[in-house]
Amino acid sequence: LLQVHRLRSVDNLFVVVEEFKDYQFKENKEDALKDLEDLVKKLPWTDPLKVWELNNSLKKKKTKRKKHSLQSPASREKLSDGGEEGGADQKDTNDQEDCAQNIAGVEPAGSQDTEKPQEVASQNGGEEEEEDSEQLDARDEVQAGSGSGTKAGDGQTAEEEAKVLKFRVTCNRAGDKHSFTSNEAARDFGGAVQEHFQWKADMTNFDVEVLLNIHNNEVVVGIALTEESLHRRNITHFGPTTLRSTLAYGMLRLCDPQPTDIIVDPMCGTGAIPIEGAAEWPCCYHIAGDNNPQAVKRAANNICSLLRKNESKDSSTALGVPLDIIQWDICNLPLRTGSVDIVVTDMPFGKRIGSKKKNWDLYPACLMEMGRICTPGTGRAVLLTQDKKCFAKALSRVGHIWRRAQTVWVNVGGLHAAVYLLRRTWERAEERRSFW
């Protein structure tokens, strides 16, 4: 389980209680919801709850390492069970995650991999971009049930009362053939969970989060093992289109970095790609740059946060990171011809940053300049964009420099985007004015 938490390309982890590949929903809303209620009693909860308890014990150890002095046993329990961020921060985080979780139907980045029996499942990530609200149903978080769990009798001690677990049910639903909403499904399923376990419903300070994922006729019931999405691990200063660390990792892995490789992100934004690269491939040298001074400042702050995190882990051997950042012009980079092994970047989609019209000039110029700095024959580039038509046209214009090796389709905040793996040909690129 500890190794699963170390996976770099997954956003959220949950243990599968049961999975139904072809669940037959009743057409009548009341009947369909009644079936979901009845399902709670039939599910094999025992082993998944053991995994949840094991996961909690791992978190307690981690919390003890991080926090040396906790005020009271009660606050210690709250920290280890409910996460290190409390109250409003926790809720905000979950709200942001919900947007990503709701995109469960678009391949492959929103897919959920589940293995039996009771293994941990994961949800892959995309970029925090604009959401296509028409594509899927909005996903609702609701307070499951309206009661207060077991009522403390006269003879019940405060200690016994404290043992009553708090929970909430989260429903992610996709598909237009359901007679009920996510809200209704979570409410009725949650009421049955409350009745079955005698837990207490609490939307914000919960111990257990039960997940009800419905995608057309596929139903997966799970228990969450992560409170905060793992894609937020490196970024403290967010920009308008901050790339998820999980997707940044996938892009870097696609280009197979080797020790001593020089890896450049010429449009780094807040630095998600080079920071992930420096953390996971420390034997490579990473250079990040952007033409926007505000983006460079955010990236520098994120690098400082990473350095502080490394210092807090073990102050005696705290080292720097193999990463530099600079403000530059993507079409006129201050780098020697053929001096770079890998280019990895998230190109402007033309929505929040730039425009589709500007991309028609920007993309060919970018590809030419990337081709110039990359080593002929061995250089490679991994580029993410949603403006696929423009990219295809630009690539056809520089076909003598770049050859497309692979395309991976990804869901980026509801947008259907593509990651292109390009390989540098042996053709010499045209020289620009030298900086050296």
Side-chain angles (χ1 to χ4, degrees):
L1 186 59
L2 195 59
Q3 285 178 307
V4 175
H5 273 280
R6 288 180 185 144
L7 291 173
R8 312 312 290 162
S9 60
V10 299
D11 279 356
N12 300 286
L13 300 173
F14 59 95
V15 56
V16 178
V17 178
E18 192 148 352
E19 181 181 16
F20 303 92
K21 290 287 187 189
D22 188 23
Y23 189 92
Q24 296 302 314
F25 288 101
K26 301 277 176 60
E27 288 186 20
N28 179 284
K29 180 162 82 169
E30 283 73 23
D31 293 342
L33 291 171
K34 183 72 169 68
D35 280 356
L36 285 175
E37 283 184 45
D38 294 341
L39 186 63
V40 172
K41 297 171 190 169
K42 302 170 189 172
L43 293 173
W45 294 97
T46 310
D47 285 349
L49 282 170
K50 283 180 185 170
V51 175
W52 174 82
E53 284 175 6
L54 175 63
N55 192 62
N56 257 18
S57 67
L58 291 176
K59 280 192 294 181
K60 281 177 182 172
K61 286 174 190 170
K62 192 175 175 186
T63 306
K64 280 174 185 171
R65 279 203 304 271
K66 278 187 168 182
K67 308 280 183 184
H68 296 298
S69 58
L70 296 175
Q71 292 174 344
S72 66
S75 66
R76 183 184 294 123
E77 188 177 340
K78 185 179 174 184
L79 268 171
S80 51
D81 289 348
E84 290 161 21
E85 294 185 27
D89 291 341
Q90 177 77 32
K91 189 173 187 299
D92 290 345
T93 298
N94 284 318
D95 287 344
Q96 287 178 22
E97 290 171 34
D98 296 340
C99 300
Q101 289 178 6
N102 192 26
I103 308 158
V106 188
E107 57 156 359
S111 62
Q112 298 163 347
D113 303 320
T114 54
E115 294 179 22
K116 291 255 182 169
Q118 279 80 44
E119 264 105 23
V120 175
S122 62
Q123 296 175 331
N124 291 337
E127 180 182 350
E128 291 183 342
E129 258 278 9
E130 296 177 0
E131 243 183 277
D132 185 349
S133 57
E134 293 173 7
Q135 192 176 19
L136 297 172
D137 256 43
R139 173 247 196 232
D140 296 306
E141 287 181 341
V142 296
Q143 183 165 343
S146 56
S148 57
T150 47
K151 292 184 179 178
D154 293 334
Q156 192 175 29
T157 64
E159 188 182 346
E160 286 172 326
E161 193 177 353
K163 284 180 185 175
V164 176
L165 288 175
K166 296 174 184 175
F167 83 105
R168 83 169 180 194
V169 169
T170 297
C171 178
N172 307 295
R173 185 178 69 84
D176 52 7
K177 295 184 179 176
H178 305 124
S179 58
F180 51 85
T181 65
S182 311
N183 196 336
E184 291 165 336
R187 181 195 64 207
D188 289 24
F189 190 82
V193 169
Q194 185 178 29
E195 197 175 314
H196 184 68
F197 288 105
Q198 296 296 298
W199 290 342
K200 184 178 180 181
D202 193 322
M203 261 194 64
T204 50
N205 299 314
F206 51 87
D207 304 307
V208 188
E209 182 173 25
V210 179
L211 303 170
L212 177 61
N213 294 337
I214 302 170
H215 180 222
N216 293 325
N217 277 3
E218 187 181 345
V219 177
V220 180
V221 180
I223 297 172
L225 300 179
T226 46
E227 289 122 13
E228 182 178 58
S229 180
L230 301 177
H231 80 257
R232 301 167 65 86
R233 58 180 170 261
N234 293 331
I235 306 300
T236 52
H237 295 73
F238 289 84
T241 58
T242 298
L243 191 72
R244 289 170 173 245
S245 297
T246 43
L247 183 52
Y249 174 85
M251 289 171 66
L252 284 155
R253 188 170 169 180
L254 194 61
C255 58
D256 189 25
Q258 299 299 312
T260 74
D261 274 354
I262 295 173
I263 304 174
V264 171
D265 181 354
M267 296 180 274
C268 70
T270 50
I273 293 172
I275 288 171
E276 185 69 21
E280 298 300 318
W281 285 273
C283 294
C284 299
Y285 180 57
H286 306 263
I287 306 172
D290 204 285
N291 69 338
N292 185 333
Q294 187 62 40
V296 173
K297 190 177 177 183
R298 287 193 188 109
N301 284 328
N302 285 324
I303 293 166
C304 289
S305 298
L306 181 68
L307 287 168
R308 279 196 297 272
K309 193 163 72 172
N310 288 351
E311 283 172 14
S312 64
K313 280 180 186 173
D314 187 357
S315 55
S316 60
T317 58
L319 301 169
V321 289
L323 167 58
D324 274 323
I325 183 160
I326 186 172
Q327 185 178 340
W328 60 25
D329 173 9
I330 172 60
C331 299
N332 202 12
L333 297 172
L335 297 168
R336 285 181 181 155
T337 299
S339 63
V340 170
D341 297 289
I342 298 169
V343 174
V344 188
T345 198
D346 170 20
M347 300 182 80
F349 287 12
K351 287 182 176 289
R352 291 191 185 179
I353 301 288
S355 69
K356 297 248 179 187
K357 188 178 177 183
K358 286 180 183 174
N359 284 351
W360 286 96
D361 294 323
L362 178 66
Y363 279 23
C366 284
L367 287 170
M368 283 295 290
E369 186 66 350
M370 289 173 190
R372 182 187 70 79
I373 64 170
C374 259
T375 314
T378 58
R380 52 244 189 245
V382 172
L383 309 174
L384 167 70
T385 181
Q386 190 252 342
D387 198 349
K388 301 179 283 289
K389 184 179 175 183
C390 180
F391 186 86
K393 186 74 174 173
L395 191 59
S396 69
R397 287 172 59 181
V398 294
H400 59 295
I401 294 177
W402 290 112
R403 179 174 54 82
R404 185 167 67 178
Q406 192 179 348
T407 306
V408 180
W409 303 108
V410 292
N411 168 15
V412 178
L415 298 171
H416 190 52
V419 174
Y420 297 96
L421 171 61
L422 309 180
R423 296 201 180 276
R424 180 71 168 80
T425 64
W426 286 99
E427 189 82 18
R428 285 193 65 181
E430 85 178 65
E431 289 281 352
R432 287 178 168 261
R433 72 179 180 84
S434 175
F435 280 89
W436 304 94

